[in-house]
Amino acid sequence: MAVLVTGGAGYIGSHTAVALHDAGYKVVIVDNFVNSSPKAIEAVRALTSPGLAFVEADLLDSGAVRQLFAQHQIDEVIHFAAHKAVGESADQPLRYYRNNLGSTLGLVEAMAEHGVTKLVFSSSCTVYGQPATVPVTEAAPTGAESPYGWTKYMSEQILRDAAAVSDLDVVLLRYFNPVGAHESGTIGEDPNGIPNNLVPYVMQVAIGRLEKLRVFGDDYDTPDGTAIRDYIHVVDLAEGHVAALAALASMDGCPAVNLGTGVGSTVLDVVNAAADAVGSPIPHEIVERRLGDIEKIYADAALARDLLGWETRRDLTEMMRDHWNWQRKNPQGFAT
Ligand code: NAD
Ligand code: WQD
């Protein structure tokens, strides 16, 4: 009896594997390390049990996926595995559609063949684009502005259609902006190359790998002029998956649920909280807006509370403290 965690060597999957273990679940991870390190599996094992099952396989390899279901008694699945870089997806759209849609289709087919009917899917607030109003509820219009975003939009639709005509029950979790790390500082976000996302960039400035943060625009209609996001501690996010699995036991259909704090923070709020955590200022300069950026988005978190009985417990100070702890202990990420 186990939960299959696809992409469990990655940032959110590794934290969720630990949270599942802490909640008493047996975990089987599958990953092909296309965007992660075998060292993440070692670190998850050190935080859980040496017997944690790991299968190195590409989810596009349907034979390997069938073998995985044949060899392990899987009861439920959490599907994280995907390519996730918005900019890269614009340059390599077919690679993104093949990986993100192909892995989801193959996985759901293998689940059906093996009578596995419970799935938690990693979606994203990117499906809301630029919302007309904030906080954004799950009823807001959806669409996408990048091939990556379309893969999430299309995966949601594929899963809704499959759930409508089968025993499949799915929760589509729309994450806002995950940051932070496990309190041990032994697992965390380890981006390849120069980070695109704010907090990994800030932390690499703090550790001296990058010189200075460029703040993209200070002329937005927000209190300090910089853009607003809903940053969520990755351990809160991981616990949201445990709550979603528990809720799936008595749930039918395919609801979409926001996982966010409901609190919006500006870029400068993050820079200041990071400086407090690090104990020194984060060098930064204001530059032009980034093309395609959203001005303001944060979650309406009520449905997660009502449907999953889950809400976040960690604030921006704890997010920055824990992200810095990981960065400080692992200046080069898992290559340290
Ligand atoms: P990540 O890149 O750290 O983890 C994804 C993992 O999936 C990696 O370990 C990668 O090696 C693996 N993988 C990818 N394709 C695979 C394949 N075909 N077969 C086997 N393994 C494969 O990313 P993350 O930040 O942990 O994100 C996890 C999920 O959450 C993704 O679906 C992502 O789109 C979604 N999401 C992430 C964010 C975010 O800001 N991090 C926000 C919203 C949604
Ligand atoms: C946050 C804020 C930037 C870097 C991403 C994905 C999206 C979804 C959520 C996956 C913005 C500013 C950033 C920098 C900056 N992920 N910034 N200087 O924009 O919410 O989107 O995460 O599904 O698909 O694109 O996150 O971390 O890139 O940016 O000023 O060097 O920080 O302009 O306001 P975003 P982000």
Side-chain angles (χ1 to χ4, degrees):
M1 303 290 272
V3 182
L4 177 64
V5 177
T6 78
Y11 175 43
I12 306 171
S14 58
H15 287 83
T16 302
V18 173
L20 287 166
H21 170 267
D22 291 350
Y25 287 90
K26 197 168 165 235
V27 175
V28 178
I29 290 177
V30 58
D31 205 298
N32 65 353
F33 299 126
V34 66
N35 195 42
S36 52
S37 163
K39 289 194 175 156
I41 297 298
E42 286 171 30
V44 171
R45 284 200 162 122
L47 289 170
T48 56
S49 65
L52 175 122
F54 172 70
V55 176
E56 183 172 349
D58 187 332
L59 287 172
L60 295 181
D61 177 347
S62 55
V65 173
R66 288 209 172 84
Q67 200 179 353
L68 170 63
F69 277 90
Q71 286 179 347
H72 297 269
Q73 179 64 48
I74 307 292
D75 301 290
E76 297 154 311
V77 179
I78 307 183
H79 181 33
F80 292 103
H83 295 324
K84 64 163 181 177
V86 172
E88 186 182 67
S89 80
D91 295 334
Q92 305 173 19
L94 297 183
R95 179 168 167 258
Y96 268 67
Y97 286 118
R98 179 172 295 279
N99 192 60
N100 293 6
L101 300 181
S103 64
T104 304
L105 287 168
L107 184 67
V108 173
E109 284 164 359
M111 287 174 64
E113 281 170 25
H114 289 86
V116 181
T117 61
K118 304 288 182 190
L119 175 67
V120 176
F121 177 72
S122 297
S123 190
S124 168
C125 68
T126 198
V127 300
Y128 295 122
Q130 180 94 44
T133 54
V134 284
V136 66
T137 72
E138 291 81 355
T142 54
E145 279 154 20
S146 68
Y148 165 72
W150 282 117
T151 69
K152 292 299 172 189
Y153 178 93
M154 290 176 190
S155 296
E156 285 197 0
Q157 189 59 40
I158 288 167
L159 294 172
R160 269 191 291 269
D161 288 344
V165 294
S166 70
D167 292 340
L168 183 67
D169 298 317
V170 188
V171 179
L172 307 166
L173 295 180
R174 294 178 177 161
Y175 315 153
F176 283 67
N177 291 58
V179 300
H182 188 266
E183 60 177 6
S184 65
T186 60
I187 53 174
E189 186 168 14
D190 186 15
N192 273 327
I194 296 181
N196 299 308
N197 296 116
L198 177 63
V199 173
Y201 201 109
V202 163
M203 292 300 166
Q204 291 197 14
V205 171
I207 202 76
R209 282 173 66 178
L210 294 168
E211 194 192 331
K212 114 175 14 165
L213 172 73
R214 293 178 311 140
V215 174
F216 297 136
D218 69 347
D219 56 352
Y220 288 109
D221 182 18
T222 64
D224 63 23
T226 64
I228 288 181
R229 297 287 183 278
D230 186 338
Y231 299 94
I232 171 171
H233 197 297
V234 67
V235 176
D236 276 329
L237 188 62
E239 290 169 0
H241 290 75
V242 177
L245 272 191
L248 259 179
S250 56
M251 190 193 287
D252 291 328
C254 191
V257 183
N258 289 341
L259 291 190
T261 62
V263 176
S265 304
T266 67
V267 176
L268 292 180
D269 289 336
V270 171
V271 169
N272 292 333
D276 288 345
V278 170
S280 60
I282 307 295
H284 62 278
E285 62 177 339
I286 308 292
V287 300
E288 288 296 291
R289 292 181 179 194
R290 183 169 67 178
L291 201 67
D293 247 343
I294 309 293
E295 176 172 86
K296 202 183 297 182
I297 183 165
Y298 52 95
D300 183 318
L303 186 62
R305 221 167 28 239
D306 296 346
L307 205 62
L308 312 182
W310 166 92
E311 57 189 338
T312 59
R313 296 188 286 143
R314 298 162 179 87
D315 65 12
L316 193 59
T317 301
E318 291 159 293
M319 297 178 211
M320 294 304 118
R321 179 198 65 197
D322 292 342
H323 209 119
W324 174 237
N325 183 44
W326 151 254
Q327 185 75 73
R328 194 173 50 82
K329 289 183 173 160
N330 307 274
Q332 304 294 330
F334 286 110
T336 299

